[in-house]
Amino acid sequence: MSLAVLKSRALAGMEAPEVSVEVHLANGLPSFTIVGLPDTEVKESRDRVRAALQNCGFEMPARRITANLAPADLPKESGRFDLPIALGILAASGQLPSEQLQHYEFAGELSLSGQLRPIRGALAMTFAMQRSQSGPPRAFILPRANADEAALVRDACIYPAHSLLEVCAHFAVPNGQAALQRHQPVLAAQAFTYPDFADVQGQLQARRALEVAAAGGHNVLMVGPPGAGKTMLASRFPGVLPPMSDDEALESAAVHSLGGHFKVEHWKRRPYRAPHQTASGVALVGGGNVPRPGEISLAHCGVLFLDEIAEFQRRVLDVLRQPMESGIISISRAARQAEFPARFQLIAAMNPCPCGYLGHASGRCRCTPEAVLRYHSRLSGPLLERIDLQIEVAAIPPAALGRHAGSGESTQAIAARVAAAFSLQLARQGKTNQRLSSTEIEQHCRLETHGEQLLDGAMSRLHWSARTYHRVLRVARSIADLAGSPAIMQPHVAEAIQYRRVLHEI
């Protein structure tokens, strides 16, 4: 037979559309052509495949070889098509039995010696394969280095291989059961180690605010002088977040798999991303000629920490506004569009003024009011509206340092209260308070009379928008959940209001 058809997958954002790899051998001058909108990496498969076949002892047919990657209008990138192209040549030239190939999908980059190298997006490809199958289920043959992440997809049939020779041996034996064995994921229960909140001295209000944020999924801005402990607090925040569900863990792992960053030992560990102030908008939201996830997507179901947020370019920060509301980011390029999840918690930190010491007991600050105003204006009003808790982190007096070392509440104790409040939210509304819609706020965030009067007065006095009003209600609901209260009382509202007043008072 001079034609062989195999199945593989491309990547288009979080999607992995099916690709038919058609290999045809025809008479004529020897040549090797790959068609179907391949990019440079795919075109280079010709040299890798030729060398791999020869070094594995196979014959490279001296014929006119055409490999078509269908559909033709779908861009193809990376070396994941090396393996199916090589197998297609062997099947079309009669060097490999082709009867069982239709029951499998293939992906893998070949070295010149025929070894299989890992690829990006194995988890997304496996998930798409399982979700799209309507007929008999297919198995997936891919590099052994990708086997653990691909096997995270429930009920997926994964056959890992070290080399092209192993794959060929699998089909050379009747029923294809000799060379490759089905891979089973090994996911032992893991207890992740996080820095402990007990190491933090003082900062009771900041610790309380982070507890409220963790319970309800809220965004936080910490304002304070250098050395007050803002970064220290943020680094301990992931340790008090509720455990990841299986669906959250799979979504997060799929995003990291697209970037080639996923590690099985981090399964169900909340992501913590801390990009530098020099990061561009593309670095944060993702992009490129072949769209890839940015920092906000890599922080999906976890924490995005922006230290010295006022030092980021304002236009870069403003790109966060839409994904903070919707939980997704859509990237459009001339030829490609991609959509990535971006449901993250923003923890930001900044100084109160350009020198950092406004209001400090030392009196070191010499910044003019105009300089302070310009510094604060680097954070736009619409962005600040989307940050639920805005708190002051004051400097610890030197006399207090060391007196209470290790006496603070531990991460474990805080996490227990957060988990209890999170369970109340799931039982009541099936989601965190931060994700409540306007209709759901009216249903689940009703105030008693005194609390409603207090909130109405604060809204008039501070000139809040409707968005801010709803965000304060969500925070008050989280405070009530931490207290185990079915109703939102006046003290809960008062605490929620004070978390919105820091930048108004500076």
Side-chain angles (χ1 to χ4, degrees):
M1 122 179 243
S2 60
L3 176 66
V5 180
L6 297 86
K7 299 296 184 182
S8 187
R9 296 272 164 182
L11 287 178
M14 290 293 291
E15 302 298 322
E18 181 181 293
V19 172
S20 294
V21 180
E22 305 168 343
V23 179
H24 179 250
L25 306 184
N27 295 327
L29 292 175
S31 63
F32 190 172
T33 306
I34 300 177
V35 297
L37 209 57
D39 70 358
T40 302
E41 292 172 307
V42 180
K43 292 178 180 177
E44 290 174 347
S45 293
R46 295 173 298 188
D47 300 309
R48 291 192 297 269
V49 168
R50 180 182 288 108
L53 290 176
Q54 292 173 346
N55 288 321
C56 288
F58 295 105
E59 178 189 352
M60 184 67 182
R63 302 178 65 182
R64 186 185 181 92
I65 304 173
T66 303
N68 178 40
L69 309 179
D73 60 346
L74 177 68
K76 321 296 188 311
E77 49 85 23
S78 88
R80 68 174 56 86
F81 300 106
D82 290 3
L83 177 60
I85 290 174
L87 294 175
I89 292 174
L90 294 176
S93 61
Q95 300 178 71
L96 181 71
S98 59
E99 294 78 11
Q100 298 295 321
L101 295 179
Q102 61 181 333
H103 303 305
Y104 294 81
E105 293 192 8
F106 305 87
E109 179 183 331
L110 288 172
S111 69
L112 300 186
S113 64
Q115 299 297 307
L116 285 175
R117 290 177 170 156
I119 57 174
R120 291 188 305 104
L123 182 55
M125 296 167 70
T126 309
F127 184 72
M129 180 185 71
Q130 286 294 98
R131 184 177 53 186
S132 64
Q133 288 180 10
S134 56
R138 295 194 193 110
F140 199 3
I141 294 180
L142 75 176
R144 185 167 294 276
N146 296 115
D148 286 335
E149 63 175 281
L152 295 175
V153 179
R154 189 174 301 172
D155 299 327
C157 186
I158 305 299
Y159 287 94
H162 283 296
S163 66
L164 175 62
L165 280 175
E166 280 191 4
V167 179
C168 293
H170 183 72
F171 293 103
V173 177
N175 299 324
Q177 297 296 322
L180 303 180
Q181 300 298 320
R182 182 171 178 176
H183 185 75
Q184 299 295 335
V186 180
L187 293 175
Q190 301 183 54
F192 299 114
T193 301
Y194 297 96
D196 201 326
F197 265 101
D199 301 332
V200 180
Q201 299 183 36
Q203 305 299 0
L204 296 182
Q205 183 195 34
R207 291 159 60 102
R208 169 63 177 176
L210 291 177
E211 180 179 338
V212 173
H218 306 288
N219 303 315
V220 182
L221 171 64
M222 296 182 286
V223 182
K230 303 184 294 294
T231 303
M232 188 179 188
L233 288 163
S235 66
R236 283 150 177 77
F237 183 73
V240 300
L241 292 175
M244 296 182 79
S245 66
D246 289 342
D247 290 342
E248 286 180 326
L250 191 60
E251 286 182 1
S252 176
V255 174
H256 283 259
S257 175
L258 291 176
H261 309 302
F262 177 70
K263 297 181 180 178
V264 176
E265 55 268 27
H266 291 168
W267 172 251
K268 288 197 171 183
R269 184 187 182 100
R270 295 278 183 183
Y272 180 82
R273 307 292 298 185
H276 192 260
Q277 302 97 297
T278 56
S280 65
V282 172
L284 284 183
V285 304
N289 292 331
V290 179
R292 295 193 183 183
E295 291 291 339
I296 63 173
S297 294
L298 294 174
H300 178 62
C301 297
V303 178
L304 177 68
F305 176 50
L306 299 184
D307 197 8
E308 303 294 348
I309 188 173
E311 301 299 332
F312 284 78
Q313 297 181 34
R314 176 166 173 163
R315 62 178 181 81
V316 171
L317 293 177
D318 282 343
V319 302
L320 299 176
R321 287 156 49 180
Q322 182 266 334
M324 286 173 68
E325 288 287 331
S326 64
I328 59 174
I329 181 69
S330 299
I331 300 172
S332 296
R333 297 293 181 264
R336 305 187 186 189
Q337 292 77 40
E339 188 175 277
F340 300 105
R343 195 172 64 251
F344 59 91
Q345 275 188 260
L346 175 64
I347 306 296
M350 65 178 289
N351 296 329
C353 67
C355 77
Y357 291 98
L358 179 65
H360 195 273
S362 65
R364 296 166 57 182
C365 179
R366 294 295 182 268
C367 298
T368 64
E370 292 78 10
V372 174
L373 184 61
R374 284 195 302 271
Y375 187 73
H376 290 175
S377 66
R378 297 181 185 180
L379 276 66
S380 66
L383 176 63
L384 283 173
E385 279 192 340
R386 289 166 169 81
I387 301 179
D388 306 318
L389 292 86
Q390 302 169 14
I391 59 173
E392 181 180 5
V393 182
I396 303 294
L401 293 176
R403 291 186 178 181
H404 307 288
S407 62
E409 200 170 21
S410 68
T411 293
Q412 185 177 5
I414 300 173
R417 292 196 299 270
V418 169
F422 181 69
S423 297
L424 288 176
Q425 296 168 44
L426 291 184
R428 181 178 61 239
Q429 66 222 14
K431 62 177 73 171
T432 59
N433 292 326
Q434 196 274 338
R435 298 173 60 194
L436 291 174
S437 65
S438 300
T439 303
E440 292 169 330
I441 288 175
E442 294 180 1
Q443 180 180 356
H444 301 298
C445 300
R446 293 184 179 277
L447 303 177
E448 49 88 28
T449 304
H450 296 294
E452 187 171 1
Q453 293 174 348
L454 179 63
L455 183 55
D456 289 344
M459 186 173 181
S460 300
R461 188 168 57 255
L462 299 174
H463 308 290
W464 284 344
S465 67
R467 177 187 286 120
T468 302
Y469 178 82
H470 285 156
R471 288 189 175 274
V472 172
L473 281 176
R474 294 186 184 107
V475 173
R477 178 69 269 176
S478 296
I479 296 171
D481 289 339
L482 283 169
S485 173
I488 302 177
M489 310 303 290
Q490 186 180 26
H492 306 147
V493 178
E495 183 177 354
I497 290 173
Q498 74 170 349
Y499 292 140
R500 300 287 307 193
R501 299 178 59 187
V502 172
L503 290 184
H504 288 283
E505 296 175 351
I506 292 179

